[in-house]
mmCIF file of all heavy atoms in Angstrom:
data_model
loop_
_atom_site.group_PDB
_atom_site.id
_atom_site.type_symbol
_atom_site.label_atom_id
_atom_site.label_comp_id
_atom_site.label_asym_id
_atom_site.label_seq_id
_atom_site.Cartn_x
_atom_site.Cartn_y
_atom_site.Cartn_z
ATOM 1 N N LEU D 545 -45.717 58.781 50.568
ATOM 2 C CA LEU D 545 -46.717 59.038 49.530
ATOM 3 C C LEU D 545 -46.153 58.743 48.138
ATOM 4 O O LEU D 545 -46.800 58.104 47.311
ATOM 5 C CB LEU D 545 -47.159 60.511 49.592
ATOM 6 C CG LEU D 545 -48.353 60.810 50.498
ATOM 7 C CD1 LEU D 545 -48.582 62.314 50.581
ATOM 8 C CD2 LEU D 545 -49.612 60.127 49.948
ATOM 9 N N VAL D 546 -44.907 59.231 47.939
ATOM 10 C CA VAL D 546 -44.267 59.009 46.629
ATOM 11 C C VAL D 546 -44.115 57.508 46.386
ATOM 12 O O VAL D 546 -44.447 56.992 45.322
ATOM 13 C CB VAL D 546 -42.896 59.731 46.556
ATOM 14 C CG1 VAL D 546 -42.127 59.295 45.314
ATOM 15 C CG2 VAL D 546 -43.099 61.241 46.534
ATOM 16 N N ALA D 547 -43.630 56.799 47.430
ATOM 17 C CA ALA D 547 -43.421 55.358 47.296
ATOM 18 C C ALA D 547 -44.744 54.657 46.986
ATOM 19 O O ALA D 547 -44.813 53.809 46.110
ATOM 20 C CB ALA D 547 -42.813 54.802 48.581
ATOM 21 N N ALA D 548 -45.794 55.075 47.726
ATOM 22 C CA ALA D 548 -47.094 54.428 47.536
ATOM 23 C C ALA D 548 -47.617 54.676 46.130
ATOM 24 O O ALA D 548 -48.114 53.764 45.474
ATOM 25 C CB ALA D 548 -48.085 54.957 48.570
ATOM 26 N N SER D 549 -47.442 55.927 45.659
ATOM 27 C CA SER D 549 -47.990 56.218 44.330
ATOM 28 C C SER D 549 -47.193 55.483 43.254
ATOM 29 O O SER D 549 -47.727 55.050 42.253
ATOM 30 C CB SER D 549 -48.027 57.718 44.077
ATOM 31 O OG SER D 549 -46.732 58.183 43.824
ATOM 32 N N GLN D 550 -45.850 55.320 43.522
ATOM 33 C CA GLN D 550 -45.045 54.561 42.546
ATOM 34 C C GLN D 550 -45.509 53.115 42.491
ATOM 35 O O GLN D 550 -45.692 52.551 41.434
ATOM 36 C CB GLN D 550 -43.576 54.616 42.943
ATOM 37 C CG GLN D 550 -42.850 55.802 42.322
ATOM 38 C CD GLN D 550 -41.418 55.889 42.770
ATOM 39 O OE1 GLN D 550 -41.021 55.229 43.715
ATOM 40 N NE2 GLN D 550 -40.660 56.723 42.103
ATOM 41 N N THR D 551 -45.712 52.526 43.698
ATOM 42 C CA THR D 551 -46.137 51.125 43.742
ATOM 43 C C THR D 551 -47.462 50.955 43.024
ATOM 44 O O THR D 551 -47.628 50.041 42.225
ATOM 45 C CB THR D 551 -46.269 50.653 45.206
ATOM 46 O OG1 THR D 551 -45.130 51.106 45.897
ATOM 47 C CG2 THR D 551 -46.364 49.156 45.293
ATOM 48 N N SER D 552 -48.393 51.893 43.309
ATOM 49 C CA SER D 552 -49.707 51.723 42.692
ATOM 50 C C SER D 552 -49.613 51.936 41.178
ATOM 51 O O SER D 552 -50.294 51.269 40.416
ATOM 52 C CB SER D 552 -50.735 52.644 43.341
ATOM 53 O OG SER D 552 -50.919 53.803 42.581
ATOM 54 N N ALA D 553 -48.699 52.845 40.765
ATOM 55 C CA ALA D 553 -48.529 53.052 39.321
ATOM 56 C C ALA D 553 -47.964 51.791 38.672
ATOM 57 O O ALA D 553 -48.410 51.379 37.598
ATOM 58 C CB ALA D 553 -47.592 54.225 39.067
ATOM 59 N N GLN D 554 -46.986 51.160 39.384
ATOM 60 C CA GLN D 554 -46.398 49.940 38.830
ATOM 61 C C GLN D 554 -47.432 48.822 38.741
ATOM 62 O O GLN D 554 -47.508 48.113 37.752
ATOM 63 C CB GLN D 554 -45.211 49.488 39.698
ATOM 64 C CG GLN D 554 -43.939 50.261 39.363
ATOM 65 C CD GLN D 554 -42.906 50.184 40.465
ATOM 66 O OE1 GLN D 554 -43.159 49.647 41.530
ATOM 67 N NE2 GLN D 554 -41.745 50.732 40.206
ATOM 68 N N THR D 555 -48.239 48.701 39.832
ATOM 69 C CA THR D 555 -49.275 47.664 39.844
ATOM 70 C C THR D 555 -50.257 47.902 38.702
ATOM 71 O O THR D 555 -50.623 46.980 37.980
ATOM 72 C CB THR D 555 -50.034 47.685 41.191
ATOM 73 O OG1 THR D 555 -49.072 47.760 42.222
ATOM 74 C CG2 THR D 555 -50.873 46.459 41.374
ATOM 75 N N LYS D 556 -50.628 49.189 38.572
ATOM 76 C CA LYS D 556 -51.569 49.563 37.518
ATOM 77 C C LYS D 556 -50.999 49.169 36.147
ATOM 78 O O LYS D 556 -51.670 48.585 35.318
ATOM 79 C CB LYS D 556 -51.790 51.072 37.556
ATOM 80 C CG LYS D 556 -53.248 51.477 37.597
ATOM 81 C CD LYS D 556 -53.320 52.982 37.555
ATOM 82 C CE LYS D 556 -54.662 53.511 37.934
ATOM 83 N NZ LYS D 556 -54.613 54.963 38.105
ATOM 84 N N GLN D 557 -49.696 49.501 35.989
ATOM 85 C CA GLN D 557 -49.034 49.236 34.720
ATOM 86 C C GLN D 557 -48.993 47.727 34.441
ATOM 87 O O GLN D 557 -49.267 47.297 33.328
ATOM 88 C CB GLN D 557 -47.616 49.771 34.784
ATOM 89 C CG GLN D 557 -47.158 50.371 33.475
ATOM 90 C CD GLN D 557 -45.814 51.045 33.656
ATOM 91 O OE1 GLN D 557 -45.175 50.905 34.705
ATOM 92 N NE2 GLN D 557 -45.380 51.755 32.669
ATOM 93 N N ALA D 558 -48.669 46.968 35.517
ATOM 94 C CA ALA D 558 -48.599 45.511 35.359
ATOM 95 C C ALA D 558 -49.957 44.980 34.934
ATOM 96 O O ALA D 558 -50.062 44.166 34.012
ATOM 97 C CB ALA D 558 -48.152 44.868 36.657
ATOM 98 N N LYS D 559 -50.992 45.480 35.625
ATOM 99 C CA LYS D 559 -52.345 45.021 35.290
ATOM 100 C C LYS D 559 -52.700 45.439 33.867
ATOM 101 O O LYS D 559 -53.238 44.678 33.092
ATOM 102 C CB LYS D 559 -53.356 45.623 36.272
ATOM 103 C CG LYS D 559 -53.465 44.816 37.549
ATOM 104 C CD LYS D 559 -54.590 45.346 38.405
ATOM 105 C CE LYS D 559 -54.586 44.668 39.766
ATOM 106 N NZ LYS D 559 -55.238 45.483 40.767
ATOM 107 N N GLN D 560 -52.337 46.690 33.568
ATOM 108 C CA GLN D 560 -52.605 47.244 32.242
ATOM 109 C C GLN D 560 -51.919 46.385 31.180
ATOM 110 O O GLN D 560 -52.514 46.043 30.166
ATOM 111 C CB GLN D 560 -52.068 48.682 32.180
ATOM 112 C CG GLN D 560 -52.356 49.428 30.899
ATOM 113 C CD GLN D 560 -53.833 49.769 30.789
ATOM 114 O OE1 GLN D 560 -54.461 50.089 31.787
ATOM 115 N NE2 GLN D 560 -54.383 49.678 29.613
ATOM 116 N N GLY D 561 -50.642 46.021 31.486
ATOM 117 C CA GLY D 561 -49.872 45.200 30.552
ATOM 118 C C GLY D 561 -50.593 43.908 30.239
ATOM 119 O O GLY D 561 -50.745 43.531 29.094
ATOM 120 N N LYS D 562 -51.082 43.260 31.293
ATOM 121 C CA LYS D 562 -51.777 41.988 31.122
ATOM 122 C C LYS D 562 -53.077 42.199 30.344
ATOM 123 O O LYS D 562 -53.422 41.421 29.470
ATOM 124 C CB LYS D 562 -52.046 41.363 32.485
ATOM 125 C CG LYS D 562 -52.315 39.883 32.391
ATOM 126 C CD LYS D 562 -52.336 39.217 33.755
ATOM 127 C CE LYS D 562 -52.909 37.827 33.607
ATOM 128 N NZ LYS D 562 -53.026 37.164 34.899
ATOM 129 N N THR D 563 -53.778 43.299 30.684
ATOM 130 C CA THR D 563 -55.029 43.605 29.992
ATOM 131 C C THR D 563 -54.741 43.828 28.511
ATOM 132 O O THR D 563 -55.447 43.334 27.646
ATOM 133 C CB THR D 563 -55.680 44.876 30.580
ATOM 134 O OG1 THR D 563 -55.655 44.756 31.987
ATOM 135 C CG2 THR D 563 -57.081 45.046 30.097
ATOM 136 N N ASP D 564 -53.662 44.564 28.246
ATOM 137 C CA ASP D 564 -53.319 44.824 26.851
ATOM 138 C C ASP D 564 -53.044 43.531 26.092
ATOM 139 O O ASP D 564 -53.417 43.399 24.937
ATOM 140 C CB ASP D 564 -52.102 45.726 26.776
ATOM 141 C CG ASP D 564 -52.473 47.174 27.028
ATOM 142 O OD1 ASP D 564 -53.685 47.496 26.994
ATOM 143 O OD2 ASP D 564 -51.580 47.967 27.264
ATOM 144 N N TRP D 565 -52.347 42.589 26.761
ATOM 145 C CA TRP D 565 -52.063 41.308 26.100
ATOM 146 C C TRP D 565 -53.351 40.593 25.706
ATOM 147 O O TRP D 565 -53.405 39.928 24.702
ATOM 148 C CB TRP D 565 -51.237 40.410 27.041
ATOM 149 C CG TRP D 565 -49.773 40.659 26.936
ATOM 150 C CD1 TRP D 565 -49.157 41.781 26.465
ATOM 151 C CD2 TRP D 565 -48.716 39.761 27.306
ATOM 152 N NE1 TRP D 565 -47.800 41.626 26.523
ATOM 153 C CE2 TRP D 565 -47.500 40.405 27.034
ATOM 154 C CE3 TRP D 565 -48.700 38.467 27.837
ATOM 155 C CZ2 TRP D 565 -46.263 39.801 27.270
ATOM 156 C CZ3 TRP D 565 -47.469 37.867 28.081
ATOM 157 C CH2 TRP D 565 -46.270 38.530 27.795
ATOM 158 N N ASN D 566 -54.370 40.764 26.553
ATOM 159 C CA ASN D 566 -55.641 40.082 26.281
ATOM 160 C C ASN D 566 -56.594 40.908 25.420
ATOM 161 O O ASN D 566 -57.670 40.441 25.091
ATOM 162 C CB ASN D 566 -56.337 39.743 27.603
ATOM 163 C CG ASN D 566 -55.698 38.547 28.274
ATOM 164 O OD1 ASN D 566 -55.238 37.632 27.602
ATOM 165 N ND2 ASN D 566 -55.656 38.554 29.589
ATOM 166 N N ALA D 567 -56.202 42.120 25.100
ATOM 167 C CA ALA D 567 -57.094 42.960 24.299
ATOM 168 C C ALA D 567 -57.379 42.279 22.962
ATOM 169 O O ALA D 567 -56.506 41.624 22.394
ATOM 170 C CB ALA D 567 -56.438 44.318 24.061
ATOM 171 N N PRO D 568 -58.601 42.434 22.462
ATOM 172 C CA PRO D 568 -58.935 41.774 21.194
ATOM 173 C C PRO D 568 -58.062 42.273 20.042
ATOM 174 O O PRO D 568 -57.594 43.408 20.058
ATOM 175 C CB PRO D 568 -60.392 42.169 20.952
ATOM 176 C CG PRO D 568 -60.909 42.637 22.260
ATOM 177 C CD PRO D 568 -59.738 43.174 23.020
ATOM 178 N N PHE D 569 -57.830 41.405 19.093
ATOM 179 C CA PHE D 569 -57.126 41.766 17.853
ATOM 180 C C PHE D 569 -57.992 41.217 16.722
ATOM 181 O O PHE D 569 -58.584 40.146 16.873
ATOM 182 C CB PHE D 569 -55.728 41.128 17.835
ATOM 183 C CG PHE D 569 -54.858 41.658 16.726
ATOM 184 C CD1 PHE D 569 -54.068 42.781 16.921
ATOM 185 C CD2 PHE D 569 -54.860 41.037 15.464
ATOM 186 C CE1 PHE D 569 -53.289 43.293 15.895
ATOM 187 C CE2 PHE D 569 -54.084 41.545 14.430
ATOM 188 C CZ PHE D 569 -53.283 42.670 14.647
ATOM 189 N N PRO D 570 -58.094 41.924 15.596
ATOM 190 C CA PRO D 570 -58.981 41.436 14.536
ATOM 191 C C PRO D 570 -58.644 39.997 14.097
ATOM 192 O O PRO D 570 -57.510 39.697 13.756
ATOM 193 C CB PRO D 570 -58.729 42.413 13.381
ATOM 194 C CG PRO D 570 -58.144 43.632 14.026
ATOM 195 C CD PRO D 570 -57.417 43.179 15.242
ATOM 196 N N ALA D 571 -59.651 39.139 14.152
ATOM 197 C CA ALA D 571 -59.477 37.763 13.661
ATOM 198 C C ALA D 571 -59.258 37.840 12.155
ATOM 199 O O ALA D 571 -59.862 38.677 11.484
ATOM 200 C CB ALA D 571 -60.716 36.944 13.978
#
Side-chain angles (χ1 to χ4, degrees):
L545 270 174
V546 170
S549 74
Q550 270 177 347
T551 315
S552 98
Q554 279 161 354
T555 314
K556 232 183 195 170
Q557 217 173 9
K559 276 187 188 156
Q560 184 71 37
K562 200 170 167 183
T563 313
D564 281 346
W565 274 21
N566 283 326
F569 191 89

